[in-house]
């Protein structure tokens, strides 16, 4: 309790309690307005920070992370736009731009994955070609077992990447056919000995 003098002390306590109650009531009435403004500014600031992080991720070619961050920024902007007095034309543009950037980063991510897959196919094709060339070398030296193993390795690698969807897949399919023919020739020679 608040210390008061003995004379009229009880009345003074009641007045002070009444004053505190009045101040608290006023705070409750006025506070929602400041809460809305505070929430709006907080959400806008969070959206902008998230948008900036997404731009940095995209610049560094972290497309998946960038897409997720752009989606998150769009959600922050959307939440802010639901607050009375917080929606402005720029925010609608920010929502649209964030969603568009998220989609663009997903497309870039798919393109990057396709490129990496194609690079892997080219590497495997070259590895198979090297084994095939080893088979040719051994065949010229009449080392049939070594030639057979090298051709079989090349065939296995080419078959693993052969397919009609890509240029390199088609080349691998043709190369695999050539390896099958060499294998058949070497086996025929080996059985004749």
């Amino acid at each position: 309790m608040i210390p008061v003098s003995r004379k009229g002390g009880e009345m003074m306590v009641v007045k002070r309690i009444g004053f505190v109650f009045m101040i608290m009531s006023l705070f409750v009435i006025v506070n929602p307005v400041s809460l809305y403004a505070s929430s709006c500014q907080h959400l806008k600031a969070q959206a902008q920070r998230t948008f900036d992080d997404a731009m940095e991720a995209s610049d560094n070619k972290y497309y998946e992370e960038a897409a997720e961050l752009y989606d998150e920024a769009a959600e922050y902007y959307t939440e802010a736009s639901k607050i009375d007095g917080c929606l402005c034309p720029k925010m609608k543009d920010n929502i649209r731009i964030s969603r568009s950037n998220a989609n663009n980063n997903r497309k870039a991510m798919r393109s990057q994955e396709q490129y990496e897959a194609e690079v892997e196919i080219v590497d495997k094709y070259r590895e198979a070609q090297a084994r095939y060339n080893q088979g040719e070398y051994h065949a010229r030296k009449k080392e049939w077992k070594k030639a057979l193993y090298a051709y079989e390795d090349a065939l296995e690698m080419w078959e693993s990447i052969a397919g009609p969807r890509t240029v390199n897949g088609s080349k691998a399919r043709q190369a695999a056919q050539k390896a099958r023919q060499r294998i058949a020739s070497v086996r025929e020679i080996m059985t004749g000995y």
Side-chain angles (χ1 to χ4, degrees), residues 156-173:
E156 184 179 326
M157 286 185 249
W158 276 324
E159 284 180 336
S160 73
I161 59 172
R165 292 191 320 223
T166 64
V167 172
N168 291 314
S170 296
K171 286 181 180 179
R173 196 174 61 245

Side-chain angles (χ1 to χ4, degrees), residues 104-136:
N104 289 341
N105 274 275
R106 285 188 185 90
K107 288 177 187 173
M109 182 177 61
R110 285 189 294 271
S111 294
Q112 184 178 17
E113 289 170 353
Q114 289 170 343
Y115 171 77
E116 289 170 359
E118 197 62 32
V119 166
E120 187 177 326
I121 288 172
V122 168
D123 289 345
K124 198 152 197 166
Y125 182 91
R126 289 180 178 156
E127 186 180 347
Q129 185 64 51
R131 282 300 284 154
Y132 181 85
N133 291 344
Q134 288 173 351
E136 293 287 284

Side-chain angles (χ1 to χ4, degrees), residues 1 4 9 11 45 52 55 79 89 93 103 113 115 122 124 128 134 141 145 147 151 161 172 181-182:
M1 220 195 293
V4 292
M11 187 60 134
D52 292 343
M55 281 179 36
E79 285 301 311
D93 286 342
N103 288 333
E113 289 170 353
Y115 171 77
V122 168
K124 198 152 197 166
Q134 288 173 351
K141 292 181 75 175
K145 266 192 170 178
Y151 289 140
I161 59 172
Q181 291 169 351
R182 292 288 193 209

Side-chain angles (χ1 to χ4, degrees), residues 29-138:
I29 293 169
V30 173
N31 194 33
V33 174
S34 65
L35 281 177
Y36 281 128
S38 172
S39 303
C40 175
Q41 293 307 316
H42 172 74
L43 286 171
K44 283 181 177 179
Q46 185 62 37
Q48 188 59 51
R49 282 191 300 273
T50 306
F51 188 92
D52 292 343
D53 290 345
M55 281 179 36
E56 185 177 339
S58 183
D59 289 344
N60 291 320
K61 299 187 180 352
Y62 299 122
Y63 298 122
E64 184 174 5
E65 179 183 349
E68 290 172 7
L69 288 169
Y70 279 124
D71 283 337
E72 189 177 327
E75 288 303 314
Y76 282 125
Y77 283 126
T78 301
E79 285 301 311
S81 72
K82 293 176 183 176
I83 297 173
D84 288 337
C86 194
L87 180 62
C88 66
K90 185 178 177 187
M91 194 176 311
K92 287 181 179 180
D93 286 342
N94 290 344
I95 294 168
R96 182 184 50 75
I97 290 168
S98 294
R99 289 184 178 147
S100 174
N101 287 351
N103 288 333
N104 289 341
N105 274 275
R106 285 188 185 90
K107 288 177 187 173
M109 182 177 61
R110 285 189 294 271
S111 294
Q112 184 178 17
E113 289 170 353
Q114 289 170 343
Y115 171 77
E116 289 170 359
E118 197 62 32
V119 166
E120 187 177 326
I121 288 172
V122 168
D123 289 345
K124 198 152 197 166
Y125 182 91
R126 289 180 178 156
E127 186 180 347
Q129 185 64 51
R131 282 300 284 154
Y132 181 85
N133 291 344
Q134 288 173 351
E136 293 287 284
Y137 170 78
H138 291 302

